[in-house]
Amino acid sequence: MDIGEQQRIRRIIDCRLAGEGKASAAEYAYFVRQYSQQVLDFTSHMVADIADAEEVAQDAFVKAFRSLDSFAGQSSFLTWVCRIAYHESLNHLKRKRLYWTSIDELPLSQDDVEEEELSSGREERIALMEEALDDLPPDERMLIHLYYYEDRPLREIAFIMDAESNALGVRLHRIRKKLLRMIKQKENEQTER
């Protein structure tokens, strides 16, 4: 985290302790301006409805500002807010009963197919993979997005998702296998038509 952000966070905390709410409003506005689009992009990968994703992102900022005292600077402010947004997204989905079964709750198939098939470049395979990604539960979709699309390291993803890096590595492996099974099933369904 850069020095300027550390100073802004310190000013917010100091203003709060001194009871000067309006004095810290400019500091809050800085963080919202700086990161609101990134946090909204983040939440929209888990919460499909854009209005709900906006609400979840806003809730994440509110929760972050309320608990700034607990921000230890272990990560960037953005990563910390994304961690909060991740948990807020899960809570939102659970409240709406839109949460699917996690890969960890499913038995693994003994049919271990080469993962290289996932990287097959055929256009049909790519389209099927995109469909399969949409069918994943939100937390699995987010893990795939953070690791493959945003190219974040596992330790940062672990911080956001409040999990162990090693466990996430195993989950990624399982999700890749699951995606391959889903793609093969979709291919079989297409050939049967």
Side-chain angles (χ1 to χ4, degrees):
M1 181 163 69
D2 73 19
I3 301 297
E5 287 189 353
Q6 287 176 343
Q7 291 171 342
R8 288 176 186 277
I9 290 170
R10 186 75 251 156
R11 281 196 296 264
I12 291 171
I13 293 169
D14 291 345
C15 287
R16 186 181 301 154
L17 291 173
E20 301 170 11
K22 289 184 180 181
S24 60
E27 304 301 342
Y28 288 128
Y30 164 81
F31 287 104
V32 171
R33 269 192 321 274
Q34 190 75 14
Y35 299 119
S36 62
Q37 188 59 51
Q38 290 167 291
V39 174
L40 176 59
D41 291 346
F42 182 89
T43 58
S44 66
H45 286 287
M46 288 184 70
V47 179
D49 182 77
I50 191 65
D52 287 346
E54 289 172 348
E55 182 180 330
V56 169
Q58 183 177 2
D59 290 347
F61 274 106
V62 169
K63 197 169 206 173
F65 291 140
R66 285 185 180 153
S67 59
L68 265 180
D69 298 353
S70 67
F71 177 62
Q74 299 170 318
S75 67
S76 68
F77 180 81
L78 176 60
T79 299
W80 186 63
V81 172
C82 285
R83 177 183 183 161
I84 295 169
Y86 172 76
H87 291 286
E88 288 297 305
S89 296
L90 288 178
N91 290 337
H92 170 81
L93 293 171
K94 286 176 185 174
R95 279 191 307 273
K96 297 264 185 173
R97 302 202 188 287
L98 295 173
Y99 195 75
W100 293 272
T101 303
S102 171
I103 186 73
D104 295 328
E105 298 167 12
L106 297 173
L108 280 179
S109 165
Q110 294 301 325
D111 183 19
D112 285 339
V113 191
E114 293 297 319
E115 291 182 35
E116 294 170 7
E117 292 184 51
L118 278 175
S119 60
S120 169
R122 293 188 350 243
E123 287 184 34
E124 303 86 27
R125 176 62 65 96
I126 293 169
L128 290 174
M129 182 178 309
E130 289 173 359
E131 284 180 37
L133 284 170
D134 289 341
D135 291 342
L136 288 176
D139 61 329
E140 293 174 12
R141 208 170 43 241
M142 180 56 72
L143 179 56
I144 293 290
H145 176 78
L146 290 172
Y147 189 77
Y148 290 105
Y149 293 92
E150 290 191 15
D151 201 28
R152 292 191 189 212
L154 276 177
R155 90 183 127 62
E156 186 174 328
I157 298 169
F159 179 77
I160 290 170
M161 298 180 86
D162 199 20
E164 295 293 322
S165 295
N166 293 339
L168 288 180
V170 171
R171 285 189 77 199
L172 276 170
H173 180 75
R174 289 180 175 178
I175 294 168
R176 286 192 299 265
K177 285 185 175 192
K178 179 182 179 180
L179 282 170
L180 185 58
R181 287 191 308 266
M182 293 167 73
I183 290 168
K184 285 188 172 271
Q185 181 180 4
K186 289 176 184 291
E187 285 175 335
N188 290 338
E189 289 170 0
Q190 285 183 346
T191 56
E192 291 174 2
R193 289 183 198 161

